[in-house]
Amino acid sequence: MPLLEVHRVSKSFEGFRALNDVSLTVEEGSLYALIGPNGAGKTTLFNLITGRYTLDAGRVVFAGQDISHTPTHRIIHCGIGISFQRAIPFPSMTVLENVTLAVLALDRKTRDFARSLLSYGVAATRAEEIISWVGLDDLKRQVAASLSQGDLKRVDIALALASKPRLLLLDEPLAGLSRTERAQMVGFIRELLRSLGTTLLFTEHDTEAVLQLAGRIMVLHRGSVLAEGTPDEIRSHPQVQEAFLGREA
Ligand code: ADP
Ligand code: MG
């Protein structure tokens, strides 16, 4: 069953076409990757899906519901998890405190942690579970600002998981990580799908990592779809080989 359907979306900035007639379908329980060089339009597509940008044309449907013109905070409550992208909300607080506050803030019944229906204790217990999921048990009492890049990415994902999303959007989860941290993150993303059943849509720069990880891949180039398909289809696509894999077509 499709969980996310993007129908023919376009977006321009002052006459510049950042995205041009892009469609994709993400099946529930799958890993879907968006790849393409810098400026291809990957983050713009995320911003359209999550309501940070308004669509010029097209439609976004999530779990059968049209969310094309839904504001970001409502989209999170619909079941889409969005990473905070490195900006940990409360850097001087511990990992556990940050995730607990996210659980309170993202509690489906409310939008405001001061008025959450959950008690702090219940939220903290849920936060501890999420922290275990992302493998940060040993660091949960550490102040967020003291963590390494790789661990901060895990906190970021923990924050996004606080709303128990059906679909998690990750924008370049492997960027800026060391080789070891990348390998751990790839394993961790697989585990998210396997154990939590979280559907994932992510962007990435590193084509090789994506070919190993994703079930389907879309290649964006200058705002348009260059190719879409399984890793094998993408690997053998002549234009993709030429443009991204550094091989002669
Ligand atoms: P990617 O994430 O694939 O690197 P982006 O989606 O960030 O690419 O950007 C695609 C193009 O759209 C770029 O040329 C970028 O400069 C432009 N763009 C993105 N967001 C904005 C914005 N808010 N205002 C103006 N131009 C933008
Ligand atoms: Mg980007």
Side-chain angles (χ1 to χ4, degrees):
M1 188 191 113
L3 184 58
L4 178 74
E5 297 160 89
V6 173
H7 294 286
R8 310 198 62 176
V9 304
S10 294
K11 180 70 182 174
S12 295
F13 299 102
E14 292 167 8
F16 170 77
R17 271 257 160 148
L19 271 184
N20 185 28
D21 202 16
V22 172
S23 300
L24 63 82
T25 300
V26 181
E27 295 293 325
E28 177 124 54
S30 69
L31 284 175
Y32 195 109
L34 273 176
I35 63 174
N38 256 327
K42 305 181 294 296
T43 301
T44 300
L45 185 54
F46 269 28
N47 286 334
L48 290 172
I49 293 169
T50 58
R52 285 177 178 140
Y53 292 168
T54 55
L55 293 160
D56 292 346
R59 237 154 36 93
V60 180
V61 178
F62 178 70
Q65 196 188 341
D66 193 318
I67 58 162
S68 307
H69 301 286
T70 306
T72 308
H73 66 266
R74 295 240 332 266
I75 280 177
I76 294 171
H77 288 87
C78 287
I80 300 184
I82 306 169
S83 97
F84 288 65
Q85 292 177 322
R86 278 163 246 164
I88 300 298
F90 306 106
S92 60
M93 290 189 180
T94 67
V95 171
L96 180 57
E97 287 163 343
N98 269 283
V99 179
T100 302
L101 290 175
V103 170
L104 289 170
L106 298 174
D107 177 17
R108 294 265 177 95
K109 294 176 201 71
T110 173
R111 284 182 214 163
D112 176 359
F113 68 79
R115 289 186 289 123
S116 177
L117 302 179
L118 291 175
S119 72
Y120 191 89
V122 170
T125 305
R126 199 182 283 173
E128 298 220 31
E129 282 169 24
I130 297 168
I131 287 168
S132 281
W133 272 115
V134 302
L136 286 175
D137 276 325
D138 295 347
L139 299 175
K140 69 183 170 202
R141 311 267 171 212
Q142 300 253 351
V143 168
S146 70
L147 303 186
S148 70
Q149 272 301 318
D151 292 332
L152 277 177
K153 289 242 175 185
R154 284 173 188 249
V155 176
D156 193 28
I157 293 171
L159 294 170
L161 288 174
S163 62
K164 295 190 178 169
R166 286 171 76 183
L167 172 70
L168 182 59
L169 302 185
L170 296 177
D171 199 358
E172 300 202 16
L174 305 179
L177 299 186
S178 71
R179 187 186 267 257
T180 316
E181 286 173 333
R182 289 169 85 85
Q184 284 173 346
M185 185 60 80
V186 166
F188 168 65
I189 288 173
R190 282 212 183 90
E191 187 61 21
L192 259 180
L193 175 63
R194 212 173 53 90
S195 311
L196 289 185
T198 312
T199 305
L200 249 119
L201 173 61
F202 67 107
T203 70
E204 197 40 63
H205 228 68
D206 178 340
T207 314
E208 275 312 316
V210 166
L211 289 169
Q212 286 171 35
L213 195 54
R216 285 194 86 80
I217 298 166
M218 169 176 285
V219 185
L220 281 177
H221 189 50
R222 294 190 185 158
S224 295
V225 180
L226 183 71
E228 204 273 345
T230 63
D232 283 342
E233 287 164 348
I234 296 300
R235 227 183 239 114
S236 57
H237 192 284
Q239 278 168 289
V240 174
Q241 290 201 341
E242 208 174 348
F244 301 105
L245 302 178
R247 293 169 205 151
E248 295 282 311

